[in-house]
Amino acid sequence: MIIDCHQHLPSLEKTRTLEKSKEELLEELRRSRVDYAILIPDNTPKSEIGSLDEVLQLVKGNRQLYVMGTLDIQKRNYLEQTQKLDQLFQAGSIVAIKIFPGHDTIYPTDKRLLPAYELCIKHDLPIVIHTGASLKHPEQAKYNDPKFIIKIADKFPALKIVIAHYFYPRVECCYKLTKAYKNIYFDTSGLADEEVIANTGLAKIKKVLLLTTSERPNNIIFGTDYAMCSIRKHVELIESLEMERQTKDKIFSENAIKLFHLKL
Ligand SMILES: [Zn+2]
């Protein structure tokens, strides 16, 4: 079974309507043999990949698709947004909260995020943090540096934190900084992307994934960053790792089922 824990709808620029974006995504799930996916909406109302409200509406009644909550703490109504996420957690409509330091000029240690962290603890569901930076925008890494994330992990040992993209290209630095933390998880999204591999090095990516799995086998979940990245290439990356089938099954689905309490 494959659960892709990090997907976005194909861009409206191409598909014109969100309904078409959903159809294209479902078709891709079939082609790539992905059984379930967790969709990450944007945290702004007008977006090419859909807002939280739009994506929630779109997945209604679909048993393959789950949703993460998102919020923008730079908006004055961030507390109202947080309260809404509490209701969505209670209703079982979202399985995590995602934040975007780097895309947004905020740090994971920002006080305005504390209510969201407390919500995640209350519902025993993870906070997912965008990390890393492309060559085009190296300045983004200053906001999502794992040195801030471990401060949160220390302060809230009951908070489950998912580091998305392993802070590429500095994956080794991220591995070393977070090594001691049982409450820090990783998704594999973006790591099979051509540009990410060119800037990071495939050997380094494989090395940190192997080290992380051998030390914390329950803490890596499969993610792709579809529709920006290829699902197939990410499946191939995991399949290329020298590890037992059992461990791959954990990465592909079992860890995610536990972490997000998925009732499949
Ligand atoms: Zn993403």
Side-chain angles (χ1 to χ4, degrees):
M1 182 194 290
I2 300 182
I3 301 174
D4 186 340
C5 304
H6 190 133
Q7 289 204 348
H8 307 280
L9 285 171
S11 166
L12 269 175
E13 219 178 324
K14 252 176 50 195
T15 58
R16 303 278 169 215
T17 70
L18 287 173
E19 196 55 47
K20 286 234 172 66
S21 298
K22 181 175 90 172
E23 279 168 28
E24 196 175 312
L25 179 137
L26 289 172
E27 183 55 38
E28 184 55 39
L29 296 190
R30 270 189 294 275
R31 266 198 299 267
S32 314
R33 304 216 175 109
V34 171
D35 299 279
Y36 300 93
I38 304 179
L39 302 190
I40 307 175
D42 212 336
N43 65 347
T44 53
K46 286 207 176 96
S47 165
E48 285 297 314
I49 56 164
S51 67
L52 177 56
D53 285 339
E54 287 169 332
V55 173
L56 283 170
Q57 186 61 32
L58 207 61
V59 307
K60 260 187 194 159
N62 186 302
R63 300 194 57 188
Q64 264 187 299
L65 303 177
Y66 294 86
V67 179
M68 282 188 202
T70 49
L71 83 165
D72 180 359
I73 57 159
Q74 291 177 305
K75 291 260 157 63
R76 231 188 266 159
N77 71 344
Y78 76 94
L79 277 176
E80 274 165 51
Q81 294 178 54
T82 313
Q83 277 157 11
K84 185 175 142 190
L85 293 177
D86 192 15
Q87 287 158 11
L88 291 172
F89 269 139
Q90 266 165 32
S93 307
I94 56 170
V95 295
I97 297 175
K98 167 100 186 272
I99 56 169
F100 304 84
H103 290 180
D104 296 340
T105 50
I106 58 162
Y107 293 93
T109 44
D110 193 306
K111 283 199 175 66
R112 293 169 293 183
L113 285 168
L114 297 185
Y117 295 158
E118 277 155 11
L119 265 192
C120 288
I121 295 171
K122 175 176 150 192
H123 296 282
D124 188 33
L125 285 165
I127 184 90
V128 178
I129 306 182
H130 171 83
T131 71
S134 62
L135 275 186
K136 262 190 221 153
H137 296 285
E139 74 285 356
Q140 291 185 352
K142 116 178 161 191
Y143 293 101
N144 54 45
D145 194 310
K147 73 182 179 195
F148 302 118
I149 298 176
I150 59 175
K151 281 190 184 164
I152 299 303
D154 271 325
K155 190 168 172 178
F156 301 105
L159 177 64
K160 292 170 180 163
I161 302 170
V162 179
I163 292 183
H165 320 307
Y166 222 119
F167 193 49
Y168 79 93
R170 295 172 60 202
V171 293
E172 280 176 317
C173 154
C174 182
Y175 164 73
K176 282 179 196 146
L177 272 172
T178 58
K179 189 173 154 53
Y181 292 87
K182 295 215 162 57
N183 57 333
I184 292 185
Y185 296 71
F186 304 88
D187 81 17
T188 62
S189 63
L191 298 180
D193 177 69
E194 245 170 64
E195 193 194 312
V196 172
I197 289 176
N199 299 338
T200 311
L202 184 59
K204 266 191 207 166
I205 290 171
K206 286 188 176 188
K207 186 179 140 197
V208 295
L209 288 178
L210 279 170
L211 281 170
T212 312
T213 349
S214 71
E215 289 155 14
R216 286 171 292 173
N218 303 321
N219 290 38
I220 297 196
I221 55 174
F222 181 70
T224 65
D225 220 358
Y226 173 83
M228 266 90 83
C229 295
S230 147
I231 298 177
R232 182 181 53 83
K233 282 186 186 164
H234 282 78
V235 172
E236 284 168 4
L237 172 67
I238 302 306
E239 289 297 0
S240 77
L241 298 172
E242 274 179 48
M243 56 172 68
E244 288 179 15
R245 189 70 248 166
Q246 246 181 329
T247 314
K248 287 181 184 171
D249 289 342
K250 276 175 173 267
I251 297 175
F252 277 127
S253 63
E254 289 164 17
N255 290 344
I257 293 173
K258 284 187 202 139
L259 182 63
F260 297 103
H261 303 303
L262 301 180
K263 297 179 192 80
L264 306 176

